[in-house]
Amino acid sequence: MATSSFSITNHISNSNITDFSFSNQRSKNLLLLKVKLYRKVQCSRRNLLVTKVASRNQQLQKLADQSVEEETTDTLDNGILVPDSESVISSIKYHAEFTPLFSPEKFELPKAFYATAESVRDTLITNWNTTYSYHEKMNVKQAYYLSMEFLQGRALLNAIGNLELSGAYAEALKKLGHDLEDVARQEQDAALGNGGLGRLASCFLDSLATLNYPAWGYGLRYKYGLFKQLITKDGQEEVAESWLEMGNPWEIPRKDVSYPIKFYGEVVTGPDGRKKWVGGENISAVAYDVPIPGYKTKTTINLRLWSTMVGPEYFDLKAFNSGDHAKAYEALKRAEKICYILYPGDESHEGKTLRLKQQYTLCSASLQDIISRFERRSGDALNWNEFPEKVAVQMNDTHPTLCIPELLRLLMDVKGLSWKEAWGITQRTVAYTNHTVLPEALEKWSLNLLQELLPRHIEIIKMIDTELIDTIIDEYGIEDLELLKEKLNQMRVLENVELPASILELLVQPDEIPTVDSVEEEEKSEGVTEPTSEDDELKVKVAKDVVVRKKVSFDTDPKSTKMVRMANLCVVGGNAVNGVAEIHSEIVKNELWPEKFQNKTNGVTPRRWISFCNPELSKIITKWTGTEDWVLNTEKIDELRKFADNEELQSEWRKAKRINKERIVSFLNEKTGYLVSPDAMFDVQVKRIHEYKRQLLNILGIVYRYKKMKEMNGDERKAKFVPRVCIFGGKAFATYIQAKRIVKFITDVGATVNNDPDIGDLLKVVFVPDYNVTVAEVLIPGSDLSQHISTAGMEASGTSNMKFAMNGCIQIGTLDGANVEIRQEVGEQNFFLFGAEAHEISGLRKERSEGKFVPDPRFEEVKKYVRSGVFGPYNYDELMGSLEGNEGYGRADYFLVGKDFPAYIECQEKVDEAYRDQKKWTKMSILNTAGSYKFSSDRTIHQYASDIWMIEPLVLPN
């Protein structure tokens, strides 16, 4: 769309909006009107309504004098008043004039987006204030969800969709000369997350608000995100995200909400016997709030993000004026960099330190905020034993583990509680969600690093470890020291750290004393005769009566690092531990506290992942279920099953899929330059690049397919193969070399295949750069097949598999994570299954290490083809070598790509066969959507609320 220009006196061309440059008197009148409206909202606790603002001088003056009783609004069934399109126009014009980020001359798309977002934010703030005030008044128990990631995606369409303002805003922007979709595309994804962990957290916030639960999220406000991914001839390159460059219209800075954060220093004991952490490095964590609206409800909860800084007194003016500029702002940069990057590289000591600083900042600032709120709401009736009755803290993975020692520190050192009181309160307050069984992802931190950075917390962690040791000894006894040693090694919080002296005295025995049998054997071998005196007889009797345990060493390994195991700390310090899929929850279950362990299968919000991102499918679901209630009650989606064979539904279904595929065609051409055919099957694998997720298996399968195509003539190819567009997306962590090799390999294969005239539209391979929520919202609705092919037992759950199923995409995958439950719900015949199962994996690896694995000839064929140079000059020996050998670092095919390869390509042949029968395929697609109803995050949140947090919905009064 051509941009519109402003002049000081003329209205915008091609639109109905007058120029935004008002006279001083007009500005005063408009501001007065806003104040009147605000006062009315405060009195009535109703939604912010913006009255019509006329576009001519005399109309503006007249409106400023009108009573606010003459507002033009619509009323929804739930009693919420909403503005019509004219009121929305007024609000957008107001923000373009009075909260500007752009010069006044033009009203181009970027300016239109910010003015529109700020207009929506007015309503969100009003609803947020109402929600917050009601929660304060009712003083009910509240859940707090702590996560290092919140992968939100764009907020504009989601916010106006939840507020039911999509029509009003679309009409208003049209009158202002712009299309709502074009305006929404100006928004950058918030760079606050990377993968499924962060997307799950954002889905949970949406469900918490929609279901009217009293809850907040807490995270960090990353300035540069993880990174922006560029795809070049060299593969993946990383540059800093720029999402905050123009400001974030959704956030509200709370400069009055800040808390002190300390690092380093030392621990001293005061005259009252209370420990005190003093000295060291001091910074401040400052709050930025992001309102999270619920769907069809006034409830608007909060995501509070922390940014780090120090005050101006830390700027060394003397050093600056003397020319030592780096020294002058050293403290400022040291504080600010804590919130620069999500997951900074931790290869170096500095990187590890920065990550720990991030995690502690999140925990400490959030807990200080939670405690402050608890004290304020309690007033004179403050009782710390009631803290767990008012507060539930959920740790999303191990990143917020330091909540446990920090809560203990605050309760003991700051609030004066005893160890016993504080420990009991902490264990009743905190809960932990485990998201992985990968050893490298179960965080362990150097004891020495923690001792240096957080000296008081190490003291507390050692106290927790001692408590745990006592519990383990009580459970297993000291009769079988080998078993006890095994359990201590498995369960202790501290790894490779000496047992406390008092425990060692109990367990460590002197050198082995012979038992009765060994005494008799020695006597016989040495020719000892019968005792000749009473003393000799007594000595033998004592020796025969003594039962002595075999000596067991509890020594540590001086060559290994002393570590703190964060997952173990979470288990001992919390009241509940949950896995995120049935198979995963069984794997992580602990025998010491079986009652703590639960399953809470992940879920995704149906608002964003069907209703808003796939309007064509949404209309079909509404038509065939006879209601729009499925957006809130996804059980109604299951009613599609009974229509799965209906020809009319199937025809509508295919048309909707076609529309979404054509969107993908345009998107891929815009982002990559590749032009693909919507007639082909769209085969998609989009997720974080990792060896266990096995993008390498996928691309090797494509290479095998390409090789077989090249061996045939044109007619044979068309008869044998269904046309496919194979789409990849995802980021490889910046220091994960093997994952970056996989990205390079995929792009090289694409460059060769996509430019091969013999193949044409039969096969395309496209890597979409900088995969994020917005990209997912384009790809998922138009996908035919999605790949969830991780090594069995290694994916905790997955959430993209749920999103694809909701959108009628058929899946090929292993029995891993939530795949198991998805397959059960959609029907085994509607899921393409292959590969080794979780209980077989350890045996297969053992078989490989013993040299017994015999690779399939097709696997050897495809590796040889890769090494032939057909995909360019890059040396893929390291990548192919990781799939070879029987042992060694980076060798021996740890993720069983070679083992599962034959089953994978045979399963892909079944996919081709099924896709040729479009009636059968469409039925499978319908049944995938119907069976996905159980994977709504609303359902999951209800389970967390009732089983772990013990909180109830709190509906705001009208």
Side-chain angles (χ1 to χ4, degrees):
M1 177 179 290
T3 58
S4 302
S5 61
F6 275 75
S7 70
I8 297 301
T9 57
N10 297 327
H11 61 79
I12 300 179
S13 59
N14 302 320
S15 80
N16 295 328
I17 188 170
T18 332
D19 109 77
F20 280 37
S21 300
F22 300 117
S23 68
N24 286 342
Q25 186 58 47
R26 292 176 187 172
S27 299
K28 289 178 182 178
N29 289 340
L30 190 54
L31 280 171
L32 180 61
L33 177 63
K34 299 288 280 191
V35 170
K36 285 183 178 180
L37 289 172
Y38 176 75
R39 285 174 178 167
K40 184 197 174 192
V41 167
Q42 291 298 97
C43 295
S44 64
R45 293 184 177 276
R46 300 172 74 179
N47 280 18
L48 178 64
L49 304 175
V50 183
T51 59
K52 290 183 178 180
V53 178
S55 59
R56 304 300 178 190
N57 298 356
Q58 64 272 23
Q59 291 174 312
L60 180 64
Q61 181 62 50
K62 181 180 177 181
L63 180 65
D65 296 331
Q66 284 178 347
S67 167
V68 291
E69 301 299 328
E70 298 177 6
E71 298 156 22
T72 302
T73 63
D74 297 319
T75 304
L76 299 177
D77 291 339
N78 57 9
I80 300 175
L81 296 177
V82 296
D84 64 5
S85 62
E86 293 301 317
S87 299
V88 170
I89 289 174
S90 302
S91 180
I92 293 173
K93 290 173 64 177
Y94 171 83
H95 284 289
E97 172 73 5
F98 292 106
T99 52
L101 290 168
F102 301 86
S103 58
E105 290 81 14
K106 297 179 181 179
F107 188 64
E108 295 175 327
L109 282 170
K111 183 173 185 176
F113 162 68
Y114 278 91
T116 302
E118 287 155 349
S119 166
V120 176
R121 194 183 71 173
D122 286 348
T123 303
L124 296 182
I125 291 175
T126 303
N127 289 350
W128 187 95
N129 288 336
T130 303
T131 304
Y132 184 78
S133 297
Y134 192 59
H135 289 175
E136 286 277 302
K137 175 184 175 182
M138 300 305 293
N139 192 19
V140 295
K141 186 174 185 180
Q142 185 163 324
Y144 299 97
Y145 197 83
L146 272 65
S147 178
M148 288 295 285
E149 295 187 42
F150 287 92
L151 192 60
Q152 295 175 283
R154 290 173 176 166
L156 178 58
L157 294 181
N158 190 77
I160 62 175
N162 278 2
L163 293 169
E164 299 180 273
L165 295 177
S166 299
Y169 271 89
E171 185 180 347
L173 285 166
K174 187 175 182 180
K175 291 178 180 179
L176 296 176
H178 292 302
D179 180 78
L180 173 59
E181 294 292 333
D182 292 336
V183 171
R185 277 194 285 270
Q186 303 306 303
E187 182 175 4
Q188 293 193 58
D189 281 34
L192 298 171
N194 174 44
L197 185 79
R199 187 53 236 168
L200 178 77
S202 293
C203 283
F204 278 5
L205 292 186
D206 177 90
S207 289
L208 284 163
T210 297
L211 300 173
N212 300 297
Y213 281 112
W216 277 25
Y218 281 105
L220 295 181
R221 182 179 179 267
Y222 303 106
K223 186 174 182 179
Y224 302 116
L226 182 73
F227 58 80
K228 184 175 182 178
Q229 181 192 53
L230 306 179
I231 299 298
T232 70
K233 62 181 178 61
D234 297 317
Q236 171 181 296
E237 293 185 10
E238 306 89 23
V239 297
E241 287 272 14
S242 59
W243 75 290
L244 287 176
E245 185 177 2
M246 293 297 295
N248 176 11
W250 304 108
E251 69 184 13
I252 302 110
R254 305 291 193 193
K255 298 298 185 180
D256 60 325
V257 180
S258 67
Y259 295 98
I261 309 294
K262 182 185 290 294
F263 306 109
Y264 306 108
E266 61 178 340
V267 180
V268 298
T269 303
D272 57 356
R274 189 184 299 181
K275 294 291 185 74
K276 190 175 181 181
W277 184 15
V278 299
E281 174 187 324
N282 298 286
I283 66 166
S284 294
V286 180
Y288 287 74
D289 287 349
V290 180
I292 308 294
Y295 178 69
K296 289 190 174 184
T297 175
K298 284 195 293 186
T299 297
T300 300
I301 64 172
N302 194 37
L303 169 59
R304 177 156 285 181
L305 303 172
W306 300 108
S307 186
T308 46
M309 59 169 288
V310 292
E313 66 272 16
Y314 284 88
F315 181 75
D316 191 337
L317 190 60
K318 182 178 180 181
F320 189 86
N321 287 330
S322 67
D324 194 348
H325 298 164
K327 182 183 177 184
Y329 53 73
E330 180 182 6
L332 280 69
K333 292 300 180 185
R334 192 165 56 235
E336 290 171 358
K337 74 177 182 180
I338 292 173
C339 290
Y340 274 174
I341 298 291
L342 169 65
Y343 302 141
D346 59 357
E347 303 275 321
S348 65
H349 177 80
E350 291 76 12
K352 290 182 175 68
T353 301
L354 186 56
R355 278 220 194 181
L356 265 178
K357 282 186 171 183
Q358 287 185 334
Q359 293 184 6
Y360 178 63
T361 298
L362 170 63
C363 296
S364 183
S366 303
L367 285 171
Q368 289 183 70
D369 197 43
I370 291 166
I371 287 173
S372 174
R373 189 170 303 109
F374 170 74
E375 290 179 314
R376 184 177 64 253
R377 290 182 179 180
S378 298
D380 295 334
L382 179 65
N383 181 351
W384 286 106
N385 288 326
E386 293 180 356
F387 188 77
E389 309 305 319
K390 297 294 184 181
V391 170
V393 174
Q394 187 70 36
M395 301 182 296
N396 190 28
D397 215 348
T398 52
H399 307 127
T401 304
L402 289 169
C403 277
I404 294 169
E406 175 65 1
L407 182 53
L408 283 161
R409 183 189 74 84
L410 291 169
L411 292 175
M412 292 191 298
D413 299 358
V414 180
K415 304 302 176 183
L417 275 65
S418 68
W419 161 259
K420 184 177 180 181
E421 291 172 316
W423 182 229
I425 290 169
T426 300
Q427 287 188 303
R428 291 161 53 209
T429 300
V430 176
Y432 160 57
T433 299
N434 175 277
H435 282 277
T436 185
V437 295
L438 294 177
E440 66 269 25
L442 287 172
E443 284 189 304
K444 295 193 291 187
W445 290 103
S446 161
L447 178 67
N448 290 337
L449 175 57
L450 274 166
Q451 177 74 58
E452 177 188 10
L453 189 68
L454 303 169
R456 177 58 176 142
H457 296 76
I458 279 298
E459 290 185 351
I460 293 170
I461 289 170
K462 287 179 177 178
M463 295 168 72
I464 295 171
D465 188 58
T466 301
E467 289 270 346
L468 177 58
I469 291 168
D470 290 341
T471 302
I472 294 170
I473 291 174
D474 288 344
E475 178 69 21
Y476 295 100
I478 59 174
E479 287 74 25
D480 187 342
L481 291 184
E482 286 287 357
L483 175 63
L484 181 61
K485 180 181 179 181
E486 177 188 337
K487 297 304 178 184
L488 287 170
N489 287 340
Q490 288 175 355
M491 298 180 184
R492 282 187 66 189
V493 174
L494 301 179
E495 179 181 273
N496 197 42
V497 175
E498 299 83 359
L499 289 166
S502 59
I503 302 293
L504 280 174
E505 288 178 8
L506 176 66
L507 300 181
V508 176
Q509 301 295 320
D511 291 340
E512 184 178 347
I513 301 175
T515 62
V516 62
D517 292 337
S518 62
V519 169
E520 291 176 352
E521 289 299 321
E522 285 185 28
E523 289 173 349
K524 291 177 182 177
S525 64
E526 296 176 10
V528 177
T529 60
E530 291 294 318
T532 57
S533 68
E534 290 184 9
D535 286 344
D536 292 339
E537 193 172 328
L538 180 61
K539 289 176 183 178
V540 173
K541 185 178 187 304
V542 169
K544 289 181 178 182
D545 287 346
V546 173
V547 179
V548 181
R549 294 185 297 270
K550 183 178 179 181
K551 183 178 180 182
V552 175
S553 172
F554 289 89
D555 293 341
T556 58
D557 182 357
K559 295 181 181 178
S560 297
T561 305
K562 296 178 179 180
M563 307 295 285
V564 178
R565 298 189 280 204
M566 307 307 263
N568 295 37
L569 182 54
C570 287
V571 173
V572 65
N575 65 79
V577 180
N578 71 278
V580 289
E582 287 180 358
I583 183 174
H584 167 241
S585 297
E586 285 302 312
I587 291 171
V588 302
K589 192 168 285 185
N590 178 290
E591 62 189 74
L592 190 58
W593 291 291
E595 72 281 357
K596 282 190 180 186
F597 285 79
Q598 306 179 21
N599 177 58
K600 297 287 176 280
T601 298
N602 281 346
V604 299
T605 170
R607 270 76 62 186
R608 183 180 286 269
W609 294 112
I610 308 181
S611 182
F612 301 153
C613 79
N614 197 344
E616 290 78 18
L617 180 60
S618 298
K619 292 171 188 174
I620 293 172
I621 296 173
T622 298
K623 173 184 174 180
W624 288 86
T625 61
T627 178
E628 292 183 344
D629 288 349
W630 62 266
V631 181
L632 284 171
N633 302 303
T634 53
E635 292 82 1
K636 295 182 182 297
I637 297 176
D638 195 42
E639 295 178 18
L640 292 172
R641 289 185 194 272
K642 59 189 179 187
F643 305 114
D645 289 307
N646 185 288
E647 290 185 4
E648 182 184 353
L649 172 58
Q650 288 201 0
S651 175
E652 293 174 3
W653 202 269
R654 284 190 289 269
K655 286 178 183 176
K657 182 66 73 171
R658 177 75 181 201
I659 291 169
N660 288 321
K661 291 177 77 168
E662 288 172 351
R663 285 178 64 208
I664 294 178
V665 171
S666 299
F667 175 80
L668 293 180
N669 186 241
E670 176 189 346
K671 294 296 182 181
T672 70
Y674 289 128
L675 186 62
V676 302
S677 170
D679 297 322
M681 178 201 300
F682 283 13
D683 174 353
V684 180
Q685 187 180 21
V686 283
K687 52 188 75 222
R688 179 167 54 94
I689 309 297
H690 196 291
E691 289 170 279
Y692 90 84
K693 292 179 183 288
R694 300 204 294 190
Q695 287 91 351
L696 184 54
L697 174 61
N698 185 352
I699 191 63
L700 288 175
I702 293 168
V703 169
Y704 182 80
R705 188 182 188 89
Y706 176 66
K707 183 177 186 296
K708 293 304 160 186
M709 285 181 174
K710 294 292 286 182
E711 294 169 357
M712 300 175 182
N713 62 41
D715 292 337
E716 290 172 333
R717 288 186 202 115
K718 290 180 181 178
K720 173 72 174 175
F721 296 103
V722 166
R724 285 207 199 196
V725 177
C726 301
I727 301 171
F728 293 84
K731 295 179 179 180
F733 191 65
T735 58
Y736 190 174
I737 302 302
Q738 194 73 323
K740 294 177 78 169
R741 287 189 183 119
I742 292 170
V743 174
K744 167 67 174 166
F745 183 34
I746 294 168
T747 57
D748 281 353
V749 172
T752 300
V753 172
N754 298 345
N755 293 292
D756 190 329
D758 294 338
I759 302 303
D761 285 338
L762 266 181
L763 183 64
K764 297 291 184 185
V765 181
V766 182
F767 192 101
V768 181
D770 205 36
Y771 179 68
N772 57 21
V773 173
T774 296
V775 175
E777 290 171 346
V778 175
L779 295 182
I780 291 174
S783 300
D784 295 302
L785 180 76
S786 64
Q787 304 214 24
H788 307 276
I789 56 177
S790 53
T791 310
M794 303 197 76
E795 184 74 86
S797 171
T799 53
S800 65
N801 45 9
M802 301 170 185
K803 298 162 197 164
F804 280 104
M806 282 182 170
N807 285 272
C809 182
I810 299 159
Q811 304 189 33
I812 180 172
T814 54
L815 281 178
D816 197 26
N819 287 1
V820 177
E821 293 154 78
I822 290 174
R823 182 169 175 262
Q824 290 169 354
E825 296 302 326
V826 305
E828 295 180 3
Q829 71 278 16
N830 303 310
F831 186 104
F832 293 101
L833 178 68
F834 76 96
E837 297 185 23
H839 67 272
E840 302 175 293
I841 301 302
S842 60
L844 290 169
R845 287 178 178 146
K846 184 173 185 291
E847 180 184 278
R848 180 73 181 239
S849 68
E850 294 170 350
K852 297 177 181 177
F853 172 70
V854 179
D856 188 275
R858 292 167 291 185
F859 187 57
E860 296 299 288
E861 178 185 352
V862 77
K863 288 190 297 176
K864 183 178 179 181
Y865 192 58
V866 171
R867 283 178 162 134
S868 71
V870 68
F871 300 114
Y874 188 85
N875 187 340
Y876 283 106
D877 281 344
E878 287 285 346
L879 189 58
M880 295 300 104
S882 70
L883 307 174
E884 298 169 338
N886 299 323
E887 59 183 0
Y889 180 76
R891 302 273 293 174
D893 194 11
Y894 184 79
F895 301 99
L896 303 181
V897 173
K899 172 64 182 177
D900 281 347
F901 183 78
Y904 176 68
I905 59 173
E906 289 162 12
C907 192
Q908 287 282 19
E909 291 172 2
K910 296 176 183 176
V911 172
D912 275 6
E913 181 184 349
Y915 192 76
R916 287 190 177 94
D917 184 346
Q918 276 295 292
K919 185 174 181 180
K920 175 184 177 182
W921 187 271
T922 304
K923 179 180 179 180
M924 294 171 70
S925 175
I926 293 168
L927 291 172
N928 265 266
T929 296
S932 70
Y933 76 93
K934 282 191 176 180
F935 302 103
S936 163
S937 52
D938 294 355
R939 186 186 184 96
T940 311
I941 283 300
H942 275 314
Q943 294 172 353
Y944 273 95
S946 62
D947 300 345
I948 298 178
W949 304 332
M950 308 301 178
I951 61 173
E952 298 286 342
L954 187 63
V955 180
L956 273 63
N958 287 330

